[in-house]
Amino acid sequence: MRPRAALIAGVAIVMTASGVGGWLGGRAADRRAESMHRDHARAVASLVAAQSDLFLRASDAASVRRLMLDIHDAGGIAACRVVLPGVGVIASTNAGEIGTMELPETWADSAVRAERPASDATVEVGFGVPGRGSGVVEADMVREPSVLKDSVLKALLVGGVLCGLLLLGFARVVRGQRAMVAVASALNAACSGERRADALRVDGQAGGVAEAWNTMLDERDALSAQIADRAVLETAGQPGSDGAAGTAACDAMASGVIVFDDSQEVVYANGAAGVLLGISRDALEEGTLDSVIDDEAVRGAVREVTETAGRSAWVRDIVRGDNSEDPDAELRVTVRSIELSGTTMASLLVEDITQQRLADRSRNAFVAQATHELRTPLTNIRLYVEQAIDEGDEDPAIRAEALNVIGSESRRLERIVSDMLCVSEIEAGSLSIRVGSVRSEALFDELQKDYRAQAAEKSIELVFDLPPKLPAFEGDRDRIAQALHNLIGNGLKYTPPGGRVDVRVELPESGGVIVSVADTGIGIDPDECERIFERFYRASDRRIAHVTGSGLGLALAREIARLHGGDIKVESAIDEGSTFTLSIPAQSGGEGEVGRAA
Ligand code: ADP
């Protein structure tokens, strides 16, 4: 039988059973009440008959009537009366029924002697008064309304409620059955290899089993994600694990990496992070945000990222702090958020930007110095042009001197600009030389001319010691001139007035050139003799503070020498002087372009 037909049959049975049950119950109750009232009427009638017999023997009809009053007061019957044949009603609970108050000496003696039912509602009991006549006591039963209808209605109501409960139960069973079917088919799919929660999910409206199944799927997914995350974090770094390569790469990074979880505890830190922050790696890995990071702004950023999943990237530069070997070193901290299985973590990238900062500062200083250095020759050129215009026509000697200075200052300007260009070429790795034949005589003549005035101005004796024969050699004329300008220029710059600068030139027969520039200047601290060849480096000697310079000349000169396969060496002693020796070997490849990365 189909469930729906069974349900209808069940409802019909319950309602019929309820109706029949109600009717039977009501009828039995009616009968019980009637029988009870009849028994009561019979008992009252019998009692009144016995008493009336006694009272009437003594012709005391008044007592019979009092008895009626007592019966009326006692209740339990509708009415009661004493009837004498041929005389009528002599006493009654209903005073209006009494026909006569006078009792005759005798009256008819009818045949009634025993109880007999007068009707369905009245019980009659006879009595006889010896020698006078007989009588009848009529007791009317109390009539109560039938409870049959009410009983049937109540039973039907109960039946209706039962049917309602039956329907509800049935609906639940049907829903549960549907959920079971859906879960069973999802289980079948899972057995066939389906793992996606979306595909295995069933309609949650279907009821408790379906909801429980869906919740179980959600918990399974959350658990697998947690297990996967933990496995990644736990196995990362173990040889042969999937995360080993990534962790090894992080460990090899020069920048520090720290990952904080949402409770701001360190879940990963590489070696560089410990070195940069001055904390041992063990302490770092067991640390918390507050124990690892001193800077309040960085802590705030990590908290913002982990607690509110706020800004995705945040950058701040900080000084390294006292717990490190180099407290002045500058660090750049970048905080980023990482989403991992529903939790937001924060990653900290810590980079050492000290060198970058130094280079930035040097570059800024260089721009300032270069501007300053450009201004001097430009001012000189302007002044001598004015002088040549004003006085040149009258005095040809003044004009010649002015033009001479203008020429020399223009070349100085050219050198500065060339240095600046070379520096950018070194930085870009594109500095190159063009090897050709260099006429050494012309080159050293020009150098002498360029520095004679400057040396005289500063009262420095500038001596060029040239070999008697000045053959040509192979090299890039302009670049070698640039390097020599820097060496001779430095000799004059860093030698106090009254000193001496010797330029000694050797031109070996095998080719190339060796030029040493020796001065009697301030000298260089032995610790700084190599560092002065670094770009933007200037010695820490306080005496050079007022001397303009960019810290680029020697770096450039050494780069040029090395591009030729040669080098520059320095020997120096503080307060005694310095000797820079530039050596350019014979060029083997003949004419052409040579370049190398910086
Ligand atoms: P700068 O423009 O500062 O002269 P250089 O690269 O030419 O740059 O020189 C680098 C540093 O080397 C100088 O700042 C100076 O401290 C030191 N130096 C170079 N030549 C001499 C020298 N002849 N005597 C003393 N110190 C020198």
Side-chain angles (χ1 to χ4, degrees):
M1 192 188 280
R2 294 177 65 86
R4 198 176 294 265
L7 178 72
I8 294 168
V11 169
I13 289 168
V14 168
M15 291 308 284
T16 310
S18 303
V20 170
W23 183 79
L24 289 173
R27 205 183 59 161
D30 279 354
R31 284 192 175 163
R32 256 196 323 275
E34 190 187 327
S35 156
M36 192 186 77
H37 290 306
R38 185 178 299 284
D39 287 349
H40 191 72
R42 188 181 299 119
V44 168
S46 299
L47 178 74
V48 171
Q51 289 293 316
S52 297
D53 187 4
L54 288 175
F55 289 139
L56 291 182
R57 277 176 206 236
S59 299
D60 187 0
S63 291
V64 177
R65 282 193 282 273
R66 272 199 302 278
L67 181 65
M68 287 298 119
L69 290 176
D70 291 344
I71 286 167
H72 181 264
D73 291 344
I77 55 168
C80 184
R81 65 195 71 83
V82 178
V83 185
L84 298 182
V87 178
V89 177
I90 60 160
S92 174
T93 52
N94 182 0
E97 284 183 344
I98 297 173
T100 178
M101 301 295 276
E102 293 299 321
L103 184 70
E105 245 339 276
T106 57
W107 59 85
D109 184 8
S110 71
V112 180
R113 282 282 185 277
E115 164 201 342
R116 63 173 180 87
S119 70
D120 279 353
T122 305
V123 175
E124 287 186 2
V125 175
F127 64 90
V129 183
R132 300 189 73 173
S134 64
V136 175
V137 178
E138 293 174 4
D140 296 341
M141 291 159 42
V142 171
R143 272 287 183 194
E144 277 187 20
S146 170
V147 295
L148 189 66
K149 205 169 128 194
D150 282 354
S151 173
V152 171
L153 279 175
K154 273 184 197 158
L156 284 175
L157 197 69
V158 170
V161 170
L162 282 176
C163 283
L165 290 174
L166 190 70
L167 284 171
L168 274 176
F170 179 78
R172 281 181 73 97
V173 169
V174 168
R175 244 170 21 138
Q177 209 179 14
R178 257 192 229 136
M180 289 298 288
V181 170
V183 171
S185 81
L187 269 171
N188 275 336
C191 289
S192 322
E194 180 59 80
R195 289 287 174 272
R196 289 171 303 132
D198 283 353
L200 295 176
R201 198 173 284 280
V202 297
D203 181 6
Q205 304 287 323
V209 181
E211 261 172 45
W213 170 258
N214 288 342
T215 310
M216 198 190 74
L217 286 177
D218 290 344
E219 283 173 2
R220 182 203 67 166
D221 284 359
L223 207 63
S224 349
Q226 268 180 19
I227 291 169
D229 290 351
R230 195 162 301 157
V232 168
L233 290 172
E234 280 173 5
T235 60
Q238 288 172 15
S241 71
D242 286 350
T247 309
C250 281
D251 282 344
M253 277 169 64
S255 303
V257 177
I258 308 175
V259 179
F260 291 100
D261 65 10
D262 54 356
S263 51
Q264 283 133 36
E265 281 174 15
V266 175
V267 289
Y268 172 75
N270 70 353
V275 174
L276 291 172
L277 296 173
I279 306 174
S280 77
R281 189 163 180 185
D282 286 348
L284 199 55
E285 280 176 347
E286 286 162 15
T288 61
L289 175 63
D290 290 342
S291 71
V292 168
I293 303 293
D294 289 337
D295 189 278
E296 192 43 50
V298 177
R299 288 184 193 169
V302 173
R303 281 192 206 104
E304 190 181 331
V305 163
T306 52
E307 285 168 7
T308 65
R311 279 181 284 186
S312 59
W314 179 95
V315 182
R316 181 178 165 85
D317 295 343
I318 56 171
V319 288
R320 199 180 286 183
D322 296 336
N323 55 355
S324 134
E325 285 173 13
D326 184 2
D328 292 331
E330 289 186 54
L331 301 178
R332 172 161 297 167
V333 181
T334 308
V335 180
R336 284 198 172 81
S337 68
I338 315 174
E339 285 295 330
L340 209 56
S341 63
T343 46
T344 307
M345 301 193 182
S347 82
L348 235 77
L349 182 70
V350 188
E351 296 163 282
D352 188 347
I353 53 162
T354 317
Q355 290 306 321
Q356 191 186 327
R357 275 297 155 91
L358 277 177
D360 287 348
R361 277 187 213 119
S362 304
R363 202 164 287 126
N364 292 340
F366 166 68
V367 172
Q369 299 277 14
T371 319
H372 187 79
E373 288 206 20
L374 288 172
R375 189 177 292 146
T376 315
L378 279 172
T379 311
N380 285 343
I381 290 171
R382 185 174 53 78
L383 289 174
Y384 281 94
V385 166
E386 280 169 9
Q387 191 183 33
I389 291 170
D390 293 346
E391 303 166 32
D393 284 347
E394 290 162 19
D395 188 343
I398 290 179
R399 184 168 56 192
E401 196 206 330
L403 290 176
N404 210 13
V405 174
I406 290 167
S408 133
E409 290 297 304
S410 309
R411 284 194 294 279
R412 186 170 154 197
L413 211 54
E414 212 179 317
R415 278 198 308 278
I416 296 168
V417 172
S418 176
D419 275 7
M420 289 162 74
L421 286 173
C422 283
V423 168
S424 25
E425 283 180 46
I426 291 177
E427 296 222 321
S430 61
L431 185 69
S432 61
I433 54 167
R434 186 172 287 278
V435 176
S437 178
V438 183
R439 287 173 48 231
S440 51
E441 197 177 345
L443 171 66
F444 292 108
D445 263 4
E446 186 189 294
L447 286 169
Q448 285 192 65
K449 261 191 237 154
D450 281 349
Y451 290 100
R452 195 183 297 134
Q454 203 178 323
E457 211 173 277
K458 209 175 165 187
S459 310
I460 290 174
E461 194 180 346
L462 177 63
V463 180
F464 273 76
D465 179 7
L466 302 171
K469 273 187 162 181
L470 284 167
F473 63 91
E474 296 293 309
D476 185 324
R477 189 208 179 273
D478 291 344
R479 295 282 184 234
I480 292 172
Q482 201 173 0
L484 290 172
H485 273 293
N486 278 317
L487 296 184
I488 300 167
N490 280 350
L492 294 173
K493 260 200 309 191
Y494 300 111
T495 300
R500 178 184 164 114
V501 174
D502 279 288
V503 181
R504 195 159 171 274
V505 181
E506 275 179 59
L507 290 157
E509 279 182 16
S510 53
V513 64
I514 299 168
V515 183
S516 61
V517 180
D519 62 57
T520 56
I522 59 172
I524 301 158
D525 188 300
D527 288 346
E528 294 185 299
C529 278
E530 262 313 297
R531 298 209 64 191
I532 54 172
F533 292 98
E534 290 173 14
R535 267 171 271 168
F536 301 107
Y537 189 85
R538 304 199 75 208
S540 51
D541 195 316
R542 281 216 232 117
R543 288 172 291 179
I544 71 154
H546 65 279
V547 182
T548 57
S550 59
L552 288 170
L554 288 180
L556 196 56
R558 179 173 261 185
E559 191 71 19
I560 289 167
R562 288 185 172 173
L563 280 172
H564 283 86
D567 204 354
I568 298 182
K569 301 275 181 221
V570 62
E571 285 171 22
S572 183
I574 288 280
D575 292 331
E576 286 180 18
S578 318
T579 302
F580 287 84
T581 307
L582 164 77
S583 49
I584 303 286
Q587 302 298 298
S588 51
E591 294 199 359
E593 192 164 311
V594 182
R596 83 185 171 101

Coordinates of all heavy atoms in Angstrom, one line a residue, residues 373 486-487 490-495 519 521-524 532-534 537-541 544 547-556 572 577-578 580, ligand 1:
E373 N 80.9 72.2 -8.4 CA 82.1 72.1 -9.3 C 81.8 72.8 -10.6 O 82.7 73.4 -11.2 CB 82.6 70.7 -9.4 CG 83.2 70.2 -8.2 CD 84.3 69.1 -8.5 OE1 84.7 69.0 -9.6 OE2 84.6 68.3 -7.5
N486 N 92.2 63.2 -13.2 CA 91.8 63.0 -11.8 C 93.0 62.9 -10.9 O 93.0 63.4 -9.8 CB 90.9 61.7 -11.8 CG 89.5 62.0 -12.2 OD1 88.9 63.1 -11.8 ND2 88.9 61.2 -13.0
L487 N 94.0 62.1 -11.3 CA 95.2 61.9 -10.5 C 95.9 63.2 -10.2 O 96.2 63.5 -9.0 CB 96.1 60.9 -11.1 CG 95.6 59.5 -11.2 CD1 96.7 58.5 -11.8 CD2 95.0 58.9 -9.9
N490 N 93.7 65.6 -8.2 CA 93.7 65.2 -6.7 C 95.0 65.7 -6.1 O 95.0 66.1 -4.9 CB 93.6 63.7 -6.6 CG 92.1 63.3 -6.7 OD1 91.2 64.2 -6.8 ND2 91.9 62.0 -6.8
G491 N 96.2 65.5 -6.8 CA 97.5 65.8 -6.2 C 97.5 67.3 -5.8 O 97.9 67.7 -4.7
L492 N 96.9 68.2 -6.7 CA 96.9 69.6 -6.4 C 95.9 69.9 -5.3 O 96.1 70.8 -4.5 CB 96.6 70.4 -7.7 CG 97.7 70.3 -8.8 CD1 97.2 71.0 -10.0 CD2 99.0 71.0 -8.3
K493 N 94.7 69.2 -5.4 CA 93.6 69.5 -4.4 C 94.0 69.1 -3.0 O 93.7 69.9 -2.0 CB 92.4 68.6 -4.8 CG 91.3 69.3 -5.5 CD 89.9 68.7 -5.5 CE 89.9 67.3 -5.8 NZ 88.5 66.8 -6.0
Y494 N 94.7 67.9 -2.8 CA 95.0 67.5 -1.5 C 96.4 67.8 -1.0 O 96.9 67.2 -0.1 CB 94.7 66.0 -1.4 CG 93.2 65.7 -1.7 CD1 92.9 65.0 -2.9 CD2 92.2 66.2 -0.9 CE1 91.5 64.8 -3.2 CE2 90.9 65.9 -1.2 CZ 90.5 65.3 -2.3 OH 89.2 65.1 -2.6
T495 N 97.1 68.7 -1.7 CA 98.4 69.2 -1.2 C 98.3 70.6 -0.8 O 97.8 71.5 -1.6 CB 99.5 69.1 -2.4 OG1 99.5 67.7 -2.8 CG2 100.8 69.5 -1.9
D519 N 102.7 63.4 -4.6 CA 102.5 64.7 -4.0 C 103.0 64.7 -2.6 O 103.3 63.6 -2.0 CB 101.0 65.1 -4.0 CG 100.1 64.2 -3.2 OD1 100.4 64.0 -2.0 OD2 99.2 63.6 -3.8
G521 N 101.3 65.9 -0.1 CA 100.0 66.4 0.5 C 99.7 65.8 1.9 O 100.6 65.3 2.6
I522 N 98.4 65.8 2.1 CA 97.9 65.4 3.5 C 98.0 63.9 3.7 O 98.0 63.4 4.8 CB 96.4 65.8 3.7 CG1 95.5 65.2 2.6 CG2 96.3 67.3 3.7 CD1 94.0 65.4 2.8
G523 N 98.1 63.1 2.6 CA 98.3 61.6 2.8 C 96.9 61.0 3.1 O 95.9 61.6 3.3
I524 N 97.0 59.6 3.0 CA 95.7 58.9 3.2 C 96.0 57.8 4.3 O 97.0 57.1 4.3 CB 95.3 58.2 1.9 CG1 95.1 59.2 0.8 CG2 94.1 57.4 2.1 CD1 95.2 58.7 -0.6
I532 N 89.2 54.3 -1.0 CA 89.1 55.5 -1.8 C 88.8 55.2 -3.3 O 88.4 56.1 -4.0 CB 90.3 56.4 -1.7 CG1 91.6 55.6 -2.1 CG2 90.5 57.0 -0.3 CD1 92.8 56.5 -2.2
F533 N 89.0 54.0 -3.7 CA 88.6 53.6 -5.1 C 87.2 53.2 -5.3 O 86.7 53.0 -6.4 CB 89.5 52.5 -5.6 CG 91.0 52.9 -5.7 CD1 91.9 52.6 -4.8 CD2 91.4 53.6 -6.9 CE1 93.2 53.0 -4.9 CE2 92.7 54.0 -7.0 CZ 93.6 53.7 -6.0
E534 N 86.4 53.2 -4.2 CA 85.0 52.9 -4.3 C 84.2 54.1 -4.7 O 84.6 55.2 -4.4 CB 84.4 52.4 -2.9 CG 84.9 51.1 -2.4 CD 84.5 50.8 -1.0 OE1 83.6 51.5 -0.5 OE2 85.1 49.9 -0.4
Y537 N 83.2 57.2 -2.4 CA 83.9 57.2 -1.1 C 84.8 58.4 -1.0 O 85.6 58.6 -1.9 CB 84.6 55.9 -0.9 CG 85.2 55.8 0.5 CD1 84.3 55.3 1.5 CD2 86.4 56.2 0.8 CE1 84.8 55.2 2.8 CE2 86.9 56.1 2.1 CZ 86.1 55.6 3.1 OH 86.5 55.6 4.4
R538 N 84.8 59.1 0.1 CA 85.7 60.2 0.4 C 86.4 59.9 1.7 O 85.7 59.4 2.6 CB 85.1 61.5 0.4 CG 84.3 61.9 -0.9 CD 84.1 63.4 -1.0 NE 85.3 64.1 -1.4 CZ 85.5 65.3 -1.1 NH1 84.7 66.0 -0.4 NH2 86.6 65.9 -1.5
A539 N 87.7 60.1 1.8 CA 88.4 59.8 3.1 C 87.8 60.5 4.3 O 87.1 61.6 4.1 CB 89.9 60.1 3.0
S540 N 88.0 59.9 5.5 CA 87.3 60.5 6.7 C 88.2 61.7 7.2 O 87.8 62.3 8.2 CB 87.1 59.4 7.7 OG 88.3 58.7 7.9
D541 N 89.3 62.0 6.6 CA 90.2 63.0 7.1 C 89.4 64.4 7.1 O 88.8 64.8 6.1 CB 91.4 63.2 6.1 CG 92.5 64.0 6.6 OD1 92.2 65.0 7.2 OD2 93.7 63.6 6.5
I544 N 89.7 67.3 4.5 CA 89.1 67.4 3.1 C 87.7 67.9 3.1 O 87.1 68.0 2.0 CB 89.2 66.0 2.4 CG1 88.2 65.0 3.0 CG2 90.6 65.5 2.4 CD1 87.8 64.0 1.9
V547 N 87.2 70.7 0.9 CA 87.6 70.5 -0.5 C 86.5 69.9 -1.3 O 85.9 68.9 -0.9 CB 88.9 69.6 -0.5 CG1 89.4 69.4 -2.0 CG2 89.9 70.0 0.4
T548 N 86.2 70.5 -2.4 CA 85.0 70.0 -3.2 C 85.5 68.7 -3.9 O 86.6 68.5 -4.2 CB 84.6 71.0 -4.3 OG1 85.7 71.3 -5.1 CG2 84.0 72.2 -3.7
G549 N 84.6 67.8 -4.0 CA 84.8 66.5 -4.7 C 83.6 65.6 -4.6 O 82.7 65.9 -3.7
S550 N 83.6 64.6 -5.4 CA 82.4 63.8 -5.5 C 82.7 62.3 -5.0 O 81.8 61.5 -4.9 CB 81.9 63.7 -6.9 OG 82.9 63.2 -7.8
G551 N 84.0 62.0 -4.9 CA 84.3 60.6 -4.5 C 84.2 59.7 -5.7 O 84.1 58.5 -5.6
L552 N 84.2 60.3 -6.9 CA 84.1 59.4 -8.1 C 85.3 59.3 -9.0 O 85.5 58.4 -9.7 CB 83.0 60.0 -9.0 CG 81.5 59.9 -8.5 CD1 80.6 60.7 -9.3 CD2 81.1 58.4 -8.5
G553 N 86.2 60.3 -8.8 CA 87.4 60.4 -9.7 C 88.2 59.2 -9.7 O 88.6 58.6 -10.8
L554 N 88.6 58.6 -8.6 CA 89.5 57.5 -8.5 C 88.8 56.2 -9.0 O 89.4 55.4 -9.6 CB 90.0 57.3 -7.1 CG 91.1 58.3 -6.6 CD1 91.5 58.0 -5.2 CD2 92.3 58.3 -7.5
A555 N 87.5 56.1 -8.6 CA 86.7 54.9 -9.1 C 86.8 54.9 -10.6 O 87.0 53.8 -11.2 CB 85.3 55.0 -8.6
L556 N 86.6 56.1 -11.2 CA 86.5 56.2 -12.6 C 87.9 55.9 -13.3 O 88.0 55.1 -14.2 CB 86.1 57.6 -13.0 CG 85.6 57.9 -14.4 CD1 84.5 57.0 -14.7 CD2 85.1 59.4 -14.4
S572 N 100.8 55.6 0.4 CA 100.6 56.9 1.0 C 100.9 56.9 2.5 O 100.9 55.8 3.1 CB 99.1 57.3 0.9 OG 98.9 58.6 1.4
G577 N 102.4 62.4 2.2 CA 102.1 62.5 0.8 C 101.6 61.2 0.2 O 101.7 60.2 0.9
S578 N 101.2 61.2 -1.0 CA 100.7 60.0 -1.7 C 101.3 59.9 -3.1 O 101.6 60.9 -3.7 CB 99.2 60.1 -1.8 OG 98.6 60.6 -0.7
F580 N 100.3 57.9 -6.6 CA 99.3 57.1 -7.3 C 100.0 56.7 -8.6 O 100.6 57.5 -9.3 CB 98.1 57.9 -7.7 CG 97.1 58.1 -6.5 CD1 97.4 59.2 -5.6 CD2 96.1 57.2 -6.2 CE1 96.5 59.4 -4.5 CE2 95.3 57.4 -5.2 CZ 95.5 58.5 -4.3
Ligands
ADP1 P1 87.1 63.4 -4.9 O1 86.3 64.0 -5.9 O2 86.6 63.4 -3.5 O3 88.5 63.9 -5.0 P2 88.3 60.9 -5.7 O4 87.6 59.6 -6.1 O5 89.1 61.5 -6.7 O6 87.1 61.9 -5.2 O7 89.1 60.7 -4.4 C1 88.5 59.9 -3.4 C2 89.1 60.3 -2.1 O8 90.4 59.9 -2.0 C3 89.2 61.8 -1.9 O9 88.0 62.3 -1.4 C4 90.3 61.9 -0.9 O10 89.9 61.7 0.4 C5 91.2 60.8 -1.3 N1 92.4 61.3 -2.1 C6 92.4 61.1 -3.5 N2 93.6 61.6 -3.9 C7 94.3 62.0 -2.8 C8 95.6 62.6 -2.6 N3 96.4 62.8 -3.7 N4 96.0 62.9 -1.4 C9 95.2 62.6 -0.3 N5 93.9 62.1 -0.5 C10 93.5 61.8 -1.7

